[in-house]
């Protein structure tokens, strides 16, 4: 197992700058953000331009990772592959294929994305749509030696009423994804607020997890008693502000990282555990973000056998 980080938390830094900092501060791998230039969407960045990635870009990327001694664990493009607008859906699907091409060019084993959801259709209808679309993407990736991994983020902000916007949030849906040839980029934080035990839930599925993310979560029970599971309903100007929980860097929330990492080891996981920094306390400036990454490293590194 190696400790890595997702580069999206430092959107203004260049990939060489992030790689140098990571190598000097105890990280062994990078999960590299590859969103297209989409403006100021939160928690996205463009550290690889997959849509026009060239052989020269691939050579430079391989040289960077060789020079810093880091592993390129995954290319990250988390967007709604079932977007309700047909033109936007095609654009997202096409960019995902570009990320797969870029991963193949640099020898990166995985590309991460979401299933997504059309919020105007039922869950069952969305699953049938995905069953028509994703096998082609899985085949395309497999022909290039790349695995497509799906993060189990709920993406409640994509749904107008705060219900799941990414149909990968439970073990039932993981089994459905696996039947399509997809893999899981496991993040325990999302399970806790849904009432699922993140340690017991993952035990049967470790062999389908080539990559995992480390994000923590802080729960406020008194506010949950007020708002209920879907979160704020009357005054919710920010679709992502559920009102009763927030993400934290590992060590400042409720995930039991000692037990979770032990379960991953027990199940044979030998991939990268990648810190996904979305902690509002340790955000706002690049220095605070890096401080948050340092907290995460100090929390996790003592449980990982180098």
């Amino acid at each position: 197992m190696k400790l890595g980080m997702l580069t999206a938390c430092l959107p203004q830094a260049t990939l060489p700058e992030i790689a140098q900092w990571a190598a000097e501060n105890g990280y062994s791998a990078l999960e590299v953000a590859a969103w297209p230039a989409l403006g100021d969407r939160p928690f996205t960045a463009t550290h690889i331009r997959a849509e026009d990635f060239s052989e020269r870009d691939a050579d430079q990327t391989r040289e960077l990772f060789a020079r810093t001694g880091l592993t390129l664990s995954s290319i990250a493009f988390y967007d709604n592959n079932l977007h309700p607008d047909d033109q936007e859906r095609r654009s997202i699907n096409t960019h995902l294929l570009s990320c797969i091409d870029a991963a193949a060019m640099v020898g990166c084993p995985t590309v991460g994305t979401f299933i997504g959801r059309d919020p105007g259709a039922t869950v069952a209808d969305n699953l049938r749509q995905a069953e028509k679309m994703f096998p082609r993407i899985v085949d395309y990736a497999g022909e290039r030696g790349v695995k497509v991994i799906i993060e189990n983020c709920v993406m409640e902000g994509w749904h107008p009423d705060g219900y799941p916007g990414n149909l990968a949030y439970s073990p039932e849906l993981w089994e459905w994804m696996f039947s399509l040839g997809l893999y899981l980029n496991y993040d325990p934080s999302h399970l806790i607020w849904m009432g699922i035990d993140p340690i017991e839930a993952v035990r049967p599925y470790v062999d389908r997890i080539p990559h995992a993310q480390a994000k923590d979560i802080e729960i406020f029970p008194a506010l949950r008693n007020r708002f209920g599971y879907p979160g704020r309903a009357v005054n919710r100007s920010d679709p992502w502000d559920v009102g009763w929980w927030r993400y934290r860097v590992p060590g400042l929330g409720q995930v039991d990282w000692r037990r979770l990492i032990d379960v991953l080891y027990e199940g044979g996981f030998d991939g990268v555990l990648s810190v996904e920094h979305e902690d509002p306390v340790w955000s706002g400036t690049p220095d605070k973000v890096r401080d948050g990454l340092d907290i995460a490293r100090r929390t996790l590194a003592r449980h990982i056998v180098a």
Side-chain angles (χ1 to χ4, degrees), residues 37-77:
L38 295 174
D40 60 352
R41 283 177 49 179
F43 309 121
T44 66
T46 308
H47 291 127
I48 282 180
R49 289 182 54 86
E51 62 270 31
D52 54 11
F53 200 68
S54 67
E55 288 291 348
R56 181 183 179 188
D57 295 325
D59 289 342
Q60 291 176 339
T61 302
R62 285 192 295 268
E63 191 279 330
L64 171 65
F65 278 81
R67 185 174 72 251
T68 56
L70 297 173
T71 296
L72 174 49
S73 65
S74 192
I75 291 179
F77 171 55

Side-chain angles (χ1 to χ4, degrees), residues 43 155-159 161-162 193 220 223 227-247 280:
F43 309 121
M155 295 307 288
E156 66 288 343
W158 278 349
H159 193 285
D161 293 319
W193 75 267
F220 302 99
L223 292 172
F227 297 123
Y229 158 79
R232 295 180 188 272
V234 177
N235 296 306
R236 188 166 175 170
S237 57
D238 179 353
W240 302 103
D241 181 14
V242 296
W244 61 271
W245 59 263
R246 63 182 180 179
Y247 293 128

Side-chain angles (χ1 to χ4, degrees), residues 92-107:
I92 292 167
N93 297 165
T94 298
H95 190 75
L96 177 57
L97 298 179
S98 296
C99 290
I100 293 169
D101 288 336
M105 290 169 70
V106 297

Side-chain angles (χ1 to χ4, degrees), residues 14 18 37 47 61 69 77 102 114 190 232 236 263 265 283 287:
T14 66
I18 296 172
H47 291 127
T61 302
F77 171 55
F114 289 139
H190 306 299
R232 295 180 188 272
R236 188 166 175 170
V263 166
Y265 271 124
S283 295
D287 284 343

Side-chain angles (χ1 to χ4, degrees), residues 4 20 41 45 65 144 147 167 177 189 207 293 298:
Q20 190 65 41
R41 283 177 49 179
F65 278 81
R144 290 155 179 79
K147 293 177 179 177
L167 299 180
M177 292 186 332
S189 66
D207 64 335
L293 290 168
R298 286 187 277 117

